[in-house]
Amino acid sequence: SQGYLSNTSSFSLSLWAAAQNFYGDLVFSGGVSESGYSNLNGSISIIGSNSSLGASSIEQNDPYLGVFLNSSLSAYAIRTSDGLQTELIFDDGRKTPWKWAGSINSMLYSDEEAILAVGSSDSSQSSLLTIFDLRTSDVIANETMNNGSTINSMVYFEKNSTILVGGNFSLPDSSCSDLCLYSYDRQQWSKLGNNSITGNVKQIQVYSPTQLLISGALSIQNKSYIGVALFNVTSYSLETHLDTSIKGLNSFSTNENRILSWNETNMFTFENNKWENIALPDATYPASLVDVCGISLGSSLGKRDTTYSESLLVMGQFRESSESSLQAFLYDFETWLPYY
């Protein structure tokens, strides 16, 4: 008998390669996927390795930014019906009583204190740093910035109720700019390292008790850098810097003892006190990277063993020809493996 199989939203067949074996058989290689969730649209949540996946109740609101709160709740930034303001909505459909003009650029949550910090900006109004107590819905602080300011990244220092705020901003009543400490207990701004770092700070992360990873178009002690820098907050000194001024920098992350950064066409790693360029998989056309994230594999990609392996999922466009391309690779710092 003859029959046909067609791909649907819950079942799909993928053909990756075909060849003839010694006996004249035509052998296909590919994948079969079956999903119990065929109508997902919008945000979803996956809690734990053996748990089920669920669709959020806010898909009709088209969220553009989110923050994870706990295993059962996340918050999302959505536009109001007129498109002029932003409000927050939770997974269960509840909306907060607060609204912001323009857009929310950054959100940060402290699980220990149940505090949510929100950085917003609007072309016609002053930018804001707003901090809420989610247990009581009280506004703890609401700081106004000068017009044209933007908050891109924030880090909590919970022991002294302080947030390190990074972006491209200035303050009406403070000489601090771009990378500043804010005490929400005292509602007071202070300089980090005597304001030795300024510029357009895109991303900040605590790398060690004495070190910060900072990316952007930076001025550090009156010297210009474009890329990612490792800065010592004790000595206020630059420890290392990756210059990506030619193509800019998309983002960075940490993986075990490595620092990883990337732009559209290159990946870099900092290990053993030196930066190295990671050679991307061979392709006919230059790769276009979108995102990189760390994952844990049960075994090394290039060996048949069960050794625990920290690897990367590298996403983008890897074109072999004008008609074919791959969207992702797995990389364990030795071997590249196509990820379908």
Side-chain angles (χ1 to χ4, degrees), residues 141-180:
N142 196 34
E143 293 288 327
T144 300
M145 298 179 172
N146 292 329
N147 286 349
S149 295
T150 303
I151 295 174
N152 296 321
S153 186
M154 294 181 284
V155 171
Y156 268 116
F157 296 106
E158 295 174 336
K159 290 184 178 179
N160 53 4
S161 302
T162 300
I163 299 175
L164 179 62
V165 182
N168 187 14
F169 62 85
S170 59
L171 304 166
D173 300 316
S174 174
S175 58
C176 185
S177 62
D178 304 326
L179 187 64
C180 304

Side-chain angles (χ1 to χ4, degrees), residues 9-10 35-42 44 55 59:
S9 59
S10 59
S35 173
Y37 303 90
S38 59
N39 297 309
L40 296 180
N41 181 27
I44 60 173
E59 59 267 14

Side-chain angles (χ1 to χ4, degrees), residues 59-325:
E59 59 267 14
Q60 69 273 15
N61 293 287
D62 194 19
Y64 66 88
L65 187 67
V67 61
F68 176 83
L69 302 179
N70 55 48
S71 59
S72 60
L73 198 64
S74 295
Y76 302 90
I78 61 172
R79 304 286 184 188
T80 54
S81 57
D82 58 11
L84 301 177
Q85 294 179 305
T86 290
E87 58 186 344
L88 290 180
I89 186 172
F90 298 106
D91 288 293
D92 56 10
R94 291 182 297 117
K95 293 183 179 180
T96 64
W98 321 295
K99 289 183 174 67
W100 292 263
S103 300
I104 290 177
N105 306 103
S106 180
M107 292 192 288
L108 181 68
Y109 178 68
S110 167
D111 183 57
E112 183 175 327
E113 299 188 30
I115 287 176
L116 178 65
V118 176
S120 63
S121 62
D122 181 69
S123 59
S124 61
Q125 299 185 33
S126 297
S127 301
L128 297 173
L129 171 65
T130 313
I131 303 175
F132 309 96
D133 186 335
L134 292 187
R135 293 168 297 194
T136 62
S137 296
D138 291 336
V139 178
I140 298 175
N142 196 34
E143 293 288 327
T144 300
M145 298 179 172
N146 292 329
N147 286 349
S149 295
T150 303
I151 295 174
N152 296 321
S153 186
M154 294 181 284
V155 171
Y156 268 116
F157 296 106
E158 295 174 336
K159 290 184 178 179
N160 53 4
S161 302
T162 300
I163 299 175
L164 179 62
V165 182
N168 187 14
F169 62 85
S170 59
L171 304 166
D173 300 316
S174 174
S175 58
C176 185
S177 62
D178 304 326
L179 187 64
C180 304
L181 293 164
Y182 180 71
S183 171
Y184 49 86
D185 275 355
R186 295 178 294 163
Q187 298 193 2
Q188 181 178 351
W189 291 96
S190 61
K191 300 177 180 179
L192 175 71
N194 199 27
N195 216 42
S196 55
I197 303 177
T198 56
N200 189 358
V201 178
K202 289 293 188 180
Q203 186 178 355
I204 50 178
Q205 179 180 321
V206 176
Y207 185 63
S208 77
T210 61
Q211 295 170 306
L212 287 175
L213 276 170
I214 309 168
S215 72
L218 311 173
S219 175
I220 301 177
Q221 296 174 336
N222 297 319
K223 293 184 179 181
S224 297
Y225 301 91
I226 299 177
V228 58
L230 187 61
F231 186 77
N232 191 301
V233 296
T234 302
S235 62
Y236 305 133
S237 62
L238 179 70
E239 296 192 358
T240 184
H241 170 255
L242 172 65
D243 183 6
T244 58
S245 56
I246 297 176
K247 293 290 290 184
L249 180 74
N250 285 356
S251 189
F252 68 80
S253 65
T254 57
N255 179 276
E256 295 184 322
N257 295 320
R258 302 180 181 94
I259 301 172
L260 302 163
S261 65
W262 61 91
N263 56 30
E264 290 183 2
T265 56
N266 299 92
M267 284 179 58
F268 311 92
T269 180
F270 180 75
E271 190 176 14
N272 299 323
N273 293 318
K274 63 179 180 180
W275 286 100
E276 292 184 352
N277 185 45
I278 298 177
L280 297 178
D282 292 334
T284 306
Y285 297 87
S288 178
L289 302 184
V290 175
D291 201 3
V292 180
C293 64
I295 61 173
S296 297
L297 298 179
S299 62
S300 175
L301 296 179
K303 303 172 184 177
R304 294 186 177 181
D305 59 26
T306 57
T307 305
Y308 179 79
S309 173
E310 285 292 334
S311 303
L312 301 177
L313 178 61
V314 182
M315 293 161 279
Q317 290 289 332
F318 304 87
R319 297 180 61 192
E320 295 293 337
S321 69
S322 59
E323 290 83 22
S324 64
S325 67

